[in-house]
Amino acid sequence: MADIKTLSEFIVERQSDFPGSTGDLSALLTAIRLAGKIVSREANKAGLLADILGAAGSENVQGEAQQKLDVYANNLFIRMMRTQGTVCAVASEENDDIVHFDNGGKYVVAMDPLDGSSNIDVNVSIGTIFSIYRRISTGPKATMEDFMQPGSAQVAAGYIVYGSSTMLVYTTGHGVNGFTLDPSIGTFCLSHPNITTPQEGSIYSVNEGNYYEFSDGVRNYIDDCKRQKMSARYIGSLVADFHRNLLKGGIYFYPATAKAPKGKLRLLYEANTLALIVEQAGGMATDGTTRILDLKPTELHQRCPLFIGSKGMVQKAMRS
Ligand code: AHM
Ligand code: MG
């Protein structure tokens, strides 16, 4: 029988990648792992439970507050990180402002607790995206400065995809590894060691409903994908689309549109996170002209166009 390595064993083993490590990052990843397992459990029974599908803010017959899964996931990840103690502040897609823990923790986290949430109610893959940064401010509280670091400063980045199985994929800047949740034992096991993405692929993922809103260059690139007889695959959950293309080779893009001149996706907890992962796997991520990881954020919920995936395809899209 092949050796089985659990995520917790792997995290401890990799602590030596960081000489002088205190174990704080390992503990933080452990908290994220646990929250991911709980969200996975809830996502799996979402169709059975009205409180997961109900509108946030409403009450069920017992008079309990009903929560949507994205609100549930947000509260859960924040609670886990607050309890864990090495994170002093979180920026979440679900919160307008920074959430402070006032605990002197040395990390800050940017996250989208439940990405692709429009897919929850229809039983389609969704995900969690997280980026971990070292805090750089020195006052009693974290500041905007801590979150305005370029993506290249990420200490770790990862996502959890709640799909036909639940997988956690992450990097600390030393390659990318993927772990599949074995629900029978409740443990993430290393299933995809040292993920590398193909340099070329044959899948393009874009919401073509926006075709007439894209620039001529983007339209030319899409036309070229069709001429090349590439496969169009678009789930509408960034994590799921990205994950498939990472493993199989392909490009995901969400360009600027006439309506959304900065694109739709968020720099801090969508583009940056996946950009670090894709680069660590040998791929590429740009906003059309600039490497995503070099962009200097100016706002917490900043949007940016995103072209991400196999290097050859992203380069070609940039030339179009
Ligand atoms: P969300 O964070 O509110 O879920 O929005 C992000 C999602 C991505 O997961 C997905 O790739 C994209 O929005 C889909 O947008 P569209 O429906 O415009 O194609
Ligand atoms: Mg999102």
Side-chain angles (χ1 to χ4, degrees):
M1 197 167 112
D3 287 350
I4 294 176
K5 184 169 289 174
T6 68
L7 175 56
S8 53
E9 287 167 341
F10 184 88
I11 290 172
V12 171
E13 192 181 290
R14 287 301 171 96
Q15 215 170 289
S16 59
D17 285 346
F18 302 91
S21 160
T22 56
D24 283 0
L25 181 62
S26 302
L28 171 52
L29 290 168
T30 298
I32 290 172
R33 178 192 70 179
L34 179 56
K37 281 189 214 177
I38 297 172
V39 171
S40 175
R41 183 193 68 196
E42 297 302 310
N44 282 336
K45 60 187 186 192
L48 297 171
L49 294 180
D51 61 343
I52 293 299
L53 298 176
S58 57
E59 283 185 353
N60 65 17
V61 282
Q62 287 91 38
E64 295 161 337
Q66 289 186 312
Q67 293 194 319
K68 278 187 169 171
L69 195 54
D70 45 6
V71 176
Y72 178 91
N74 190 45
N75 292 340
L76 180 71
F77 274 95
I78 288 178
R79 203 172 89 211
M80 292 289 183
M81 286 192 264
R82 190 193 295 272
T83 313
Q84 191 271 327
T86 64
V87 177
C88 65
V90 169
S92 165
E93 187 186 326
E94 300 294 332
N95 298 92
D96 289 348
D97 299 317
I98 300 170
V99 179
H100 292 277
F101 297 162
D102 297 324
N103 60 1
K106 70 181 182 205
Y107 294 114
V108 298
V109 172
M111 67 168 178
D112 181 352
L114 211 77
D115 180 63
S117 43
S118 65
N119 278 328
I120 299 171
D121 293 4
V122 291
N123 205 2
V124 173
S125 299
I126 45 181
T128 296
I129 313 177
F130 60 91
S131 285
I132 302 172
Y133 291 84
R134 207 174 301 283
R135 181 186 172 192
I136 50 178
S137 66
T138 51
K141 268 181 170 211
T143 65
M144 276 294 275
E145 183 195 0
D146 297 313
F147 290 97
M148 297 300 109
Q149 303 183 58
S152 54
Q154 288 170 96
V155 172
Y159 62 83
I160 304 167
V161 57
Y162 311 101
S164 49
S165 59
T166 295
M167 270 193 77
L168 188 152
V169 175
Y170 83 104
T171 181
T172 54
H174 299 267
V176 182
N177 291 280
F179 302 81
T180 302
L181 181 64
D182 180 337
S184 65
I185 53 171
T187 304
F188 280 107
C189 298
L190 180 61
S191 51
H192 295 66
N194 291 320
I195 295 173
T196 54
T197 195
Q199 294 295 294
E200 295 289 348
S202 57
I203 297 173
Y204 73 102
S205 308
V206 62
N207 185 344
E208 277 195 72
N210 296 326
Y211 183 84
Y212 291 109
E213 290 215 19
F214 293 147
S215 67
D216 290 347
V218 170
R219 287 206 292 255
N220 286 340
Y221 181 68
I222 293 174
D223 295 345
D224 190 63
C225 289
K226 292 181 201 288
R227 277 191 290 271
Q228 310 267 337
K229 298 200 187 326
M230 292 195 177
S231 291
R233 293 284 183 274
Y234 191 73
I235 294 168
S237 283
L238 173 63
V239 172
D241 279 310
F242 173 83
H243 180 69
R244 179 200 54 241
N245 292 358
L246 180 75
L247 298 184
K248 294 194 161 188
I251 183 171
Y252 172 99
F253 47 113
Y254 207 113
T257 63
K259 255 191 292 183
K262 292 182 174 163
K264 176 184 182 190
L265 300 175
R266 269 58 54 113
L267 175 59
L268 259 64
Y269 40 80
E270 290 176 328
N272 268 341
T273 319
L274 302 183
L276 184 64
I277 293 170
V278 88
E279 283 199 8
Q280 283 292 315
M284 192 171 168
T286 82
D287 68 355
T289 51
T290 307
R291 178 184 178 228
I292 293 289
L293 295 180
D294 287 339
L295 295 172
K296 177 87 178 79
T298 53
E299 288 168 39
L300 226 43
H301 301 289
Q302 186 170 336
R303 296 176 193 269
C304 69
L306 178 65
F307 298 78
I308 189 164
S310 294
K311 205 177 244 172
M313 298 180 83
V314 175
Q315 282 168 340
K316 187 164 184 185
M318 283 175 81
R319 288 194 300 268
S320 295

